[in-house]
Amino acid sequence: MLLEPVSIDGWASENAACFAPPIMNKLMHKKQLTIMFVGGPNTRTDFHIEEGSELFLMIRGDMELPTIQQGKKKVVSIKEGQLFVLPPRIPHSPQRPQEGSLGLVIERERREGELDCLRWYTDFSVCDETLWERYFRCDDLGRDLVPVVHAFKASPECATGKPSAESVCSSPPMQQDTTTSVPDPVDLKELLKQCQTDLQGGKEVDLLSLLQHPDPEFSVVAAGGGGEGGQEVAA
């Protein structure tokens, strides 16, 4: 049975309680892909590293995504209406300071044996020295990140701001990507306009291939069907 189209703004208003602190997100689907909406305001001091790619689409308002690319901190600004795809194993720290902001986030399901990492640096402004990190199995973001955050806050490294031999993993189970330079976010509507002729002809367009994006996992496909406005995007 086909479902009727839903207004995201209307749906978000009806589910406003899901985007109030401390929850700030609503899980929509969890099978092969994890699909969620995330609201603001919400900021953090840790960086997350995972084995899979991650897609960000800002529906309402803006966000910032500090990342560590090629060994240096780079803050990615994702504006309303923009799409950004982050390849695997790049540290990132989503910041959504705007009240009422709303973003779509898509991740792939964790595979057997894969671990995530939460990492804090001695200085968030430069991120050149690890203060504390923990690798852990993450099957539920809302459940599995909380004890790691609590463990960091209770640690002597958090209290002193100085790393120790025990706080930094000497043989990490995951190798951080230190070579990829990630393309900047793109305006999704403007990108679709570039493909308008193909989409109106009923063709499918792989948007990441069009952008020559280095992500090794995701395909973001736009499909059209005769007439203006008849377009849909799927990851």
Side-chain angles (χ1 to χ4, degrees), residues 16-114:
C18 296
F19 304 104
I23 303 171
M24 307 303 292
N25 71 79
K26 175 69 172 177
L27 180 66
M28 306 300 294
H29 180 78
K30 186 176 174 60
K31 185 68 175 179
Q32 186 183 25
L33 292 176
T34 298
I35 302 173
M36 69 192 90
F37 285 101
V38 184
N42 187 20
T43 59
R44 55 199 284 183
T45 59
D46 65 282
F47 281 75
H48 184 206
I49 313 172
E50 59 190 287
E51 293 275 14
S53 303
E54 193 164 351
L55 179 149
F56 299 84
L57 176 64
M58 286 307 297
I59 306 296
R60 188 170 63 217
D62 306 333
M63 69 169 287
E64 289 193 340
L65 186 69
T67 62
I68 309 298
Q69 297 185 40
Q70 299 179 316
K72 296 182 179 180
K73 182 180 179 182
K74 178 181 179 180
V75 179
V76 179
S77 294
I78 310 175
K79 305 297 185 182
E80 183 174 310
Q82 287 189 330
L83 173 74
F84 180 73
V85 176
L86 184 74
R89 297 176 285 107
I90 293 178
H92 54 285
S93 181
Q95 311 289 325
R96 297 178 174 87
Q98 292 185 2
E99 185 171 357
S101 64
L102 183 70
L104 175 69
V105 178
I106 301 177
E107 303 176 347
R108 70 156 171 79
E109 189 176 37
R110 271 67 169 173
R111 296 169 182 150
E112 184 176 353
E114 287 186 341

Side-chain angles (χ1 to χ4, degrees), residues 24-228:
M24 307 303 292
N25 71 79
K26 175 69 172 177
L27 180 66
M28 306 300 294
H29 180 78
K30 186 176 174 60
K31 185 68 175 179
Q32 186 183 25
L33 292 176
T34 298
I35 302 173
M36 69 192 90
F37 285 101
V38 184
N42 187 20
T43 59
R44 55 199 284 183
T45 59
D46 65 282
F47 281 75
H48 184 206
I49 313 172
E50 59 190 287
E51 293 275 14
S53 303
E54 193 164 351
L55 179 149
F56 299 84
L57 176 64
M58 286 307 297
I59 306 296
R60 188 170 63 217
D62 306 333
M63 69 169 287
E64 289 193 340
L65 186 69
T67 62
I68 309 298
Q69 297 185 40
Q70 299 179 316
K72 296 182 179 180
K73 182 180 179 182
K74 178 181 179 180
V75 179
V76 179
S77 294
I78 310 175
K79 305 297 185 182
E80 183 174 310
Q82 287 189 330
L83 173 74
F84 180 73
V85 176
L86 184 74
R89 297 176 285 107
I90 293 178
H92 54 285
S93 181
Q95 311 289 325
R96 297 178 174 87
Q98 292 185 2
E99 185 171 357
S101 64
L102 183 70
L104 175 69
V105 178
I106 301 177
E107 303 176 347
R108 70 156 171 79
E109 189 176 37
R110 271 67 169 173
R111 296 169 182 150
E112 184 176 353
E114 287 186 341
L115 298 178
D116 286 37
C117 175
L118 284 187
R119 176 185 296 163
W120 284 260
Y121 291 92
T122 55
D123 185 345
F124 187 83
S125 65
V126 292
C127 301
D128 59 355
E129 182 183 22
T130 300
L131 173 64
W132 193 96
E133 63 185 2
R134 179 70 55 83
Y135 290 85
F136 60 100
R137 177 66 186 180
C138 184
D139 292 307
D140 185 313
L141 285 168
R143 178 195 67 201
D144 297 331
L145 269 63
V146 172
V148 180
V149 174
H150 287 170
F152 168 70
K153 291 183 176 180
S155 70
E157 292 80 13
C158 179
T160 64
K162 296 180 179 180
S164 68
E166 292 75 29
S167 67
V168 180
C169 185
S170 59
S171 300
M174 175 203 319
Q175 292 301 314
Q176 176 181 327
D177 182 338
T178 59
T179 61
T180 300
S181 177
V182 187
D184 291 334
V186 295
D187 187 287
L188 181 58
K189 288 184 178 180
E190 291 301 317
L191 185 59
L192 292 174
K193 286 180 181 179
Q194 297 178 28
C195 314
Q196 190 169 16
T197 300
D198 285 340
L199 294 173
Q200 289 181 355
K203 295 181 180 180
E204 294 185 351
V205 179
D206 187 328
L207 300 181
L208 296 191
S209 293
L210 181 67
L211 295 169
Q212 297 183 324
H213 198 286
D215 184 78
E217 294 192 335
F218 273 170
S219 291
V220 180
V221 178
E228 293 188 5

Side-chain angles (χ1 to χ4, degrees), residues 3-16 19 28 37 59-60 102:
L3 300 178
E4 291 295 322
V6 175
S7 165
I8 293 178
D9 283 338
W11 174 88
S13 297
E14 293 172 2
N15 292 271
F19 304 104
M28 306 300 294
F37 285 101
I59 306 296
R60 188 170 63 217
L102 183 70

